[in-house]
Amino acid sequence: MIKDEEFFKDLFSWHDQEDFPRAMDFVRDAHAGQIRDEGTPYIEHIEGVLKILKDEFHVRADTALSVAALHDVIEDTSVTYEDLKNAFGPVIADAVLTLTKKDGQDTKAYLDNISNSDISWLMIIKLADRLHNLRTIKRTGNPEKIMRKCQETKEYYMSYAKAYPDIERKLMNELRVLCYG
């Protein structure tokens, strides 16, 4: 079996650095003034997801990091798909749109859509997003939300994480801390 680090190295073997700095400027503007449930500026979530992708999953590809930075702009700001397409082109805009959960969309259908995408690395971004959410959710002080996210992670996300044993282990560790610790 291929080790996760080798898989990610092969998957993200190109290292162009064109869009990522622009994506970070764009996302800072788009999320300016937004506060997450745990009371932190929204940009800290974006930075947390990027840190997981870079430091733990060894992602270096500009496009993947740009999409990760922008992953919540359609869902949580006034930015539209067209805005993203005009700023970054259809590849990044389509990837962000795929990561955008539609109002009322079933979690399984949402994750299936990401998993079945032609963009093979989108699930890695979604799992990094979930991992960061699990690491920070305790600060909300909302036990119902914590348990709901734990249950949702166990019921839906873990089956997708099985394809990436290191990610699966990290998610399981966070669940142990949150749900059983």
Side-chain angles (χ1 to χ4, degrees):
M1 177 175 223
I2 190 167
K3 295 218 182 258
D4 286 345
E5 190 170 332
E6 293 170 29
F7 171 79
F8 293 128
K9 185 177 178 184
D10 290 342
L11 184 63
F12 300 114
S13 59
W14 39 279
H15 298 279
D16 59 304
Q17 292 296 315
E18 297 173 12
D19 289 320
F20 182 64
R22 286 188 320 108
M24 286 305 296
D25 288 342
F26 190 96
V27 80
R28 281 187 188 97
D29 289 342
H31 288 291
Q34 283 186 313
I35 304 295
R36 289 187 29 110
D37 289 347
E38 68 269 10
T40 60
Y42 205 97
I43 193 67
E44 289 183 18
H45 168 62
I46 302 303
E47 291 167 346
V49 171
L50 290 167
K51 184 170 176 42
I52 289 168
L53 287 168
K54 288 178 177 181
D55 296 350
E56 297 180 46
F57 300 170
H58 312 288
V59 173
R60 300 287 181 265
D62 180 78
T63 301
L65 295 173
S66 297
V67 169
L70 297 163
H71 78 271
D72 280 337
V73 295
I74 295 174
E75 191 172 338
D76 294 329
T77 75
S78 61
V79 172
T80 67
Y81 169 80
E82 287 301 320
D83 295 333
L84 281 181
K85 189 174 171 185
N86 290 334
F88 297 98
V91 172
I92 288 177
D94 289 351
V96 173
L97 185 62
T98 301
L99 288 170
T100 302
K101 189 171 183 184
K102 308 335 177 245
D103 284 338
Q105 187 176 21
D106 174 74
T107 301
K108 183 172 179 357
Y110 167 64
L111 293 173
D112 282 347
N113 188 48
I114 294 170
S115 180
N116 294 329
S117 168
D118 291 337
I119 307 169
S120 61
W121 41 263
L122 284 184
M123 185 54 72
I124 295 165
I125 293 172
K126 188 61 204 170
L127 293 171
D129 176 46
R130 178 49 58 127
L131 184 59
H132 186 262
N133 285 335
L134 290 176
R135 289 177 176 172
T136 59
I137 196 168
K138 206 164 208 161
R139 289 186 252 160
T140 65
N142 183 336
E144 292 84 19
K145 183 175 184 176
I146 293 168
M147 292 313 294
R148 187 176 69 249
K149 293 296 182 181
C150 285
Q151 185 60 38
E152 186 179 76
T153 302
K154 286 189 286 187
E155 190 172 334
Y156 300 109
Y157 287 78
M158 293 308 294
S159 63
Y160 297 98
K162 285 181 193 296
Y164 315 100
D166 190 47
I167 298 173
E168 180 184 34
R169 182 182 50 76
K170 289 173 188 288
L171 284 168
M172 191 55 75
N173 287 341
E174 293 304 322
L175 287 174
R176 279 190 204 104
V177 169
L178 275 174
C179 303
Y180 310 113

